[in-house]
């Protein structure tokens, strides 16, 4: 994987800091995906767009300061609504231009690898100050962080630790959480892969950067085999969204395909 990283904003391609540094520098709703098929399409793109649009709507309705800069007044959003198709058009337009600029102009530096892409939609306070009859989407800016894709932990077993309470406005994915979770790192034991969140110490919610699942044998199973004899003997367990977890893209995919999880699986993070 190359060390190339780029920021795309308003038609300009810039060298970029690491993605965590970038997300800590601006408020907003975001999602992260990767390219597939030799940078010709994006993994689960429609699902990511749906979740991103939902996060924007949730933040506008409940905590606009997480979308705009701190101090932005929520009263300006009275009687305002967001059209999801407008957000799709805004993001897709920026993405198309960015991929043409980055992939075509920087092809040699990218070395033909797949890319990790983080889309951050943030409120533009300067435009907000001129709020009149324009639509909310006219006051949103799109930032794209593009870099080489890393496979992560692969088949290595995850090591987990329980460290803190659940997120505020958990149904939305917002950049300020990247800053808020940093103090939890001091509780990370050596070699721990992920830090888990819980409000009471008994009911697990999610990880700091992942959704959390457990694949377990059903209590009614009568099989004597450790791994069971059929998939019907197993169930996927994860915290409900109403408990305060992000309805993430991978969470949605796992729950939709839960009957096809290999029987030897014991825990998926």
């Amino acid at each position: 994987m190359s060390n190339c990283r780029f920021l795309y904003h308003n038609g300009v391609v810039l060298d970029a800091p690491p993605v965590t540094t970038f997300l800590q520098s601006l408020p907003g709703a975001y999602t992260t995906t990767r390219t597939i098929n030799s940078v010709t399409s994006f993994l689960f793109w429609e699902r990511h767009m749906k979740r991103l649009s939902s996060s924007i709507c949730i933040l506008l309705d409940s905590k606009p300061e997480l979308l705009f800069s701190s101090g932005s007044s929520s009263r300006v959003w009275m009687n305002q609504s967001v059209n999801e198709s407008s957000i799709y058009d805004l993001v897709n337009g920026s993405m198309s231009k960015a991929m043409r600029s980055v992939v075509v102009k920087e092809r040699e530096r990218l070395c033909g690898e797949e890319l990790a892409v983080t889309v951050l939609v943030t409120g533009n306070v300067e435009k907000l100050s001129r709020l009149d009859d324009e639509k909310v989407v006219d006051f949103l800016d799109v930032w794209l962080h593009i870099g080489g894709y890393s496979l992560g932990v692969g088949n290595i077993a995850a090591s987990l630790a329980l460290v803190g309470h659940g997120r505020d406005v958990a149904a939305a994915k917002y950049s300020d959480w990247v800053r808020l979770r940093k103090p939890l790192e001091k509780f990370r034991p050596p070699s721990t892969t992920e830090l888990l969140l819980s409000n009471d110490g008994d009911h697990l919610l999610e990880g700091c950067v992942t959704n959390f699942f457990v694949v377990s044998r059903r209590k009614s199973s009568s099989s004597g085999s450790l791994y069971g004899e059929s998939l019907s003997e197993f169930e996927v367990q994860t915290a409900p969204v109403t408990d305060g977890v992000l309805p993430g893209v991978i969470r949605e995919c796992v729950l939709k395909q839960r009957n096809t999880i290999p029987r030897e699986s014991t825990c998926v993070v």
Side-chain angles (χ1 to χ4, degrees):
M1 183 188 75
S2 72
N3 292 321
C4 295
R5 293 187 296 261
F6 306 95
L7 270 182
Y8 181 88
H9 178 61
N10 288 339
V12 179
V13 178
L14 305 168
D15 286 338
V19 66
T20 53
T21 303
F22 160 64
L23 289 173
Q24 290 178 73
S25 69
L26 292 167
Y30 79 98
T31 192
T32 296
T33 184
R34 67 179 178 90
T35 62
I36 55 176
N37 301 326
S38 301
V39 199
T40 59
S41 56
F42 297 97
L43 185 66
F44 302 138
W45 181 242
E46 287 301 318
R47 288 187 172 98
H48 279 283
M49 285 301 303
K50 181 179 179 181
R51 204 268 308 283
L52 179 62
S53 297
S54 175
S55 294
I56 292 170
C57 293
I58 290 170
L59 295 180
L60 282 173
D61 183 59
S62 59
K63 280 210 168 184
E65 64 269 23
L66 293 177
L67 189 65
F68 289 78
S69 61
S70 59
S72 299
S73 175
S74 60
R75 64 181 176 83
V76 301
W77 300 114
M78 294 177 63
N79 301 320
Q80 296 283 339
S81 61
V82 182
N83 188 316
E84 281 195 1
S85 64
S86 297
I87 295 176
Y88 280 40
D89 291 342
L90 178 68
V91 174
N92 284 330
S94 293
M95 182 66 79
S96 296
K97 294 175 183 177
M99 295 307 289
R100 285 198 297 269
S101 297
V102 172
V103 176
V104 174
K105 294 181 181 180
E106 308 293 341
R107 187 179 299 277
E108 290 185 2
R109 293 178 63 187
L110 293 173
C111 304
E113 64 187 318
E114 299 290 359
L115 303 174
V117 180
T118 294
V119 183
L120 175 68
V121 177
T122 185
N124 187 311
V125 177
E126 183 178 344
K127 294 179 181 178
L128 177 65
S129 66
R130 302 194 297 267
L131 181 65
D132 192 6
D133 295 326
E134 290 87 346
K135 299 177 182 178
V136 171
V137 74
D138 295 330
F139 304 94
L140 300 177
D141 284 342
V142 178
W143 295 77
L144 301 172
H145 186 285
I146 303 170
Y149 172 69
S150 172
L151 289 175
V153 298
N155 294 324
I156 301 174
S159 175
L160 311 173
L162 184 61
V163 296
H165 292 282
R167 298 181 303 117
D168 191 20
V169 199
K173 187 167 185 174
Y174 51 90
S175 59
D176 199 44
W177 172 244
V178 179
R179 176 186 63 82
L180 293 172
R181 74 186 185 218
K182 285 187 68 176
L184 298 178
E185 288 295 326
K186 64 183 179 181
F187 301 111
R188 181 188 290 271
S191 303
T192 298
T193 310
E194 173 63 307
L195 303 177
L196 301 181
L197 306 176
S198 172
N199 289 330
D200 59 10
D202 292 323
H203 298 85
L204 298 178
L205 296 174
E206 58 188 350
C208 282
V209 296
T210 62
N211 287 125
F212 179 74
F213 304 90
V214 172
V215 179
S216 62
R217 291 278 298 277
R218 297 181 187 275
K219 291 182 178 180
S220 59
S221 173
S222 60
S223 172
S225 169
L226 175 63
Y227 298 122
E229 296 179 353
S230 70
L231 289 176
S232 63
E233 295 182 29
F234 296 85
E235 62 184 2
V236 178
Q237 298 179 346
T238 190
V241 172
T242 52
D243 278 6
V245 301
L246 179 71
V249 171
I250 298 301
R251 182 182 187 276
E252 177 186 352
C253 293
V254 169
L255 292 180
K256 186 175 182 180
Q257 301 295 330
R258 59 187 179 273
N259 291 328
T260 65
I261 292 180
R263 62 181 181 179
E264 65 270 16
S265 297
T266 56
C267 180
V268 180
V269 178

